[in-house]
């Protein structure tokens, strides 16, 4: 693999069947007919588990859909790994249900016999610039957002886990480590009456996406470069703006937040 994996799914089964199911989940039948390659690669493991990995930033989140679909058909747990941000995060899936997994994702993958690309290349990995996610929780105050997260996690937030800031537009939510760990979705589910704008971007904003959430579900999505998601309607603007810098300004999110290491 010539590019860094940004997401992965660790699943047991026959490799060809896993690849076909992943294609079907992402609705890539038409691309297959046109001869286009899927946005992932299957890496065979040394045992029952194999890794499905993706390198396209515009398909972040595909790991959740693939893992959920596979878990409905398999007796053993399926794991999804988000590699785009530090630290890498792992989630377990059983019978379509998401569970919190505290295991180190690299150690887990190695124990299953399918170590992920780049797992041992610490120096190269630390030199790369990962994508970051920042969310605007519209029409709320930071304390309300904090309470929603604490209710979802079932415990007080430890100091420094997230950055929460009050703005004129609402609350800005960011991780101090770069990994959001689905906090924007958790807040959206706990505060279903508000819109949450989850922005994922590269440091230079050349990869840029905004997913608008309500009650935990994506209701619209803006991406540059354009890559529509069949499950979420693609829109041409956010807050009346179509340029990444201007969208960030309209949301009250400093562009500098995406440039921090």
């Amino acid at each position: 693999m010539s590019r860094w994996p940004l997401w992965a799914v660790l699943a047991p089964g026959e490799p060809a069947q896993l690849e076909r199911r992943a294609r079907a989940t992402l609705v890539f039948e038409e691309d297959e007919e046109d001869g286009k390659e899927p946005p992932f690669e299957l890496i065979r493991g040394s045992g029952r588990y194999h890794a499905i990995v993706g390198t396209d930033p515009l398909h972040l989140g595909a790991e959740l859909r693939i893992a959920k679909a596979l878990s409905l058909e398999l007796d053993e747990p399926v794991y999804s790994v988000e590699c785009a941000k530090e630290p890498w995060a792992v989630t377990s899936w059983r019978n379509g249900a998401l569970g919190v997994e505290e295991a180190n994702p690299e150690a887990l993958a190695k124990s299953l016999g399918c170590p992920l690309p780049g797992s041992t290349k610490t120096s190269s990995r630390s030199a790369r610039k990962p994508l970051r996610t920042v969310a605007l929780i519209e029409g709320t105050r930071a304390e309300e957002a904090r309470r929603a997260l604490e209710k979802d996690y079932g415990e007080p937030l430890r100091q420094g886990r997230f950055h929460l800031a009050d703005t004129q537009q609402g609350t800005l939510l960011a991780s101090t480590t770069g990994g959001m760990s689905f906090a924007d979705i958790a807040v959206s589910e706990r505060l279903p009456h508000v819109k949450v704008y989850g922005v994922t971007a590269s440091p230079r904003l050349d990869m840029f996406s905004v997913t608008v959430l309500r009650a935990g579900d994506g209701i619209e999505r803006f991406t540059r470069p354009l890559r529509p998601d069949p499950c979420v309607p693609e829109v041409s603007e956010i807050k009346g703006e179509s340029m990444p810098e201007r969208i960030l300004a309209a949301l009250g999110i400093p562009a500098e937040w995406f440039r921090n290491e």
Side-chain angles (χ1 to χ4, degrees):
M1 174 174 287
S2 60
R3 296 175 58 190
W4 280 98
L6 299 179
W7 56 265
V9 173
L10 311 177
E14 197 277 318
Q17 184 176 358
L18 291 175
E19 184 171 358
R20 286 195 298 271
R21 190 67 186 90
R23 278 180 174 270
T25 301
L26 297 182
V27 197
F28 274 89
E29 292 87 347
E30 293 182 3
D31 284 358
E32 187 172 9
E33 292 176 0
D34 293 339
K36 296 180 181 178
E37 292 297 320
F40 61 79
E41 177 182 344
L42 189 137
I43 300 177
R44 290 173 177 263
S46 59
R48 280 188 47 73
Y49 276 79
H50 308 281
I52 299 170
V53 299
T55 60
D56 189 340
L58 297 178
H59 287 285
L60 285 171
E63 73 277 11
L64 302 177
R65 291 158 54 194
I66 294 173
K68 180 178 181 179
L70 289 175
S71 74
L72 292 169
E73 303 174 1
L74 300 169
D75 295 330
E76 297 169 83
V78 178
Y79 302 94
S80 59
V81 183
E82 182 187 34
C83 314
K85 315 179 190 77
E86 303 289 355
W88 291 8
V90 60
T91 304
S92 62
W93 295 83
R94 292 174 175 83
N95 297 318
L98 180 151
V100 176
E101 189 68 40
E102 297 296 339
N104 177 280
E106 294 166 290
L108 174 65
K110 186 176 180 180
S111 72
L112 295 174
C114 49
L116 299 172
S119 295
T120 60
K121 299 177 182 178
T122 305
S123 59
S124 298
R125 186 171 150 192
S126 61
R128 70 191 179 106
K129 295 184 177 180
L131 300 173
R132 297 178 69 89
T133 297
V134 178
L136 168 68
I137 309 163
E138 197 170 53
T140 64
R141 305 299 292 173
E143 185 56 35
E144 183 182 10
R146 179 183 298 277
R147 289 196 301 268
L149 283 172
E150 290 179 340
K151 186 175 182 180
D152 190 78
Y153 296 149
E155 61 182 12
L157 292 182
R158 68 175 183 270
Q159 187 174 7
R161 181 172 184 178
F162 292 108
H163 178 79
L164 292 157
D166 287 319
T167 70
Q168 292 183 345
Q169 292 92 336
T171 299
L172 293 186
L173 169 65
S175 169
T176 56
T177 63
M180 185 66 80
S181 299
F182 315 115
D184 51 341
I185 299 176
V187 169
S188 178
E189 290 175 340
R190 292 289 177 178
L191 302 176
H193 58 288
V194 304
K195 282 184 179 180
V196 176
Y197 295 81
V199 182
T200 299
S202 60
R204 301 174 69 176
L205 306 184
D206 49 338
M207 294 293 181
F208 187 87
S209 71
V210 182
T211 300
V212 185
L213 300 162
R214 189 184 290 277
D217 293 325
I219 59 174
E220 58 185 32
R221 184 169 179 260
F222 173 97
T223 57
R224 291 294 182 272
L226 179 65
R227 184 68 190 193
D229 183 330
C231 297
V232 183
E234 185 77 17
V235 295
S236 60
E237 59 183 33
I238 296 290
K239 296 286 188 180
E241 303 292 349
S242 59
M243 299 294 293
E245 295 86 352
R246 295 186 64 85
I247 290 174
L248 290 178
L251 295 175
I253 299 176
E256 291 74 18
W257 283 20
F258 297 94
R259 301 191 180 112
N260 294 336
E261 297 293 337

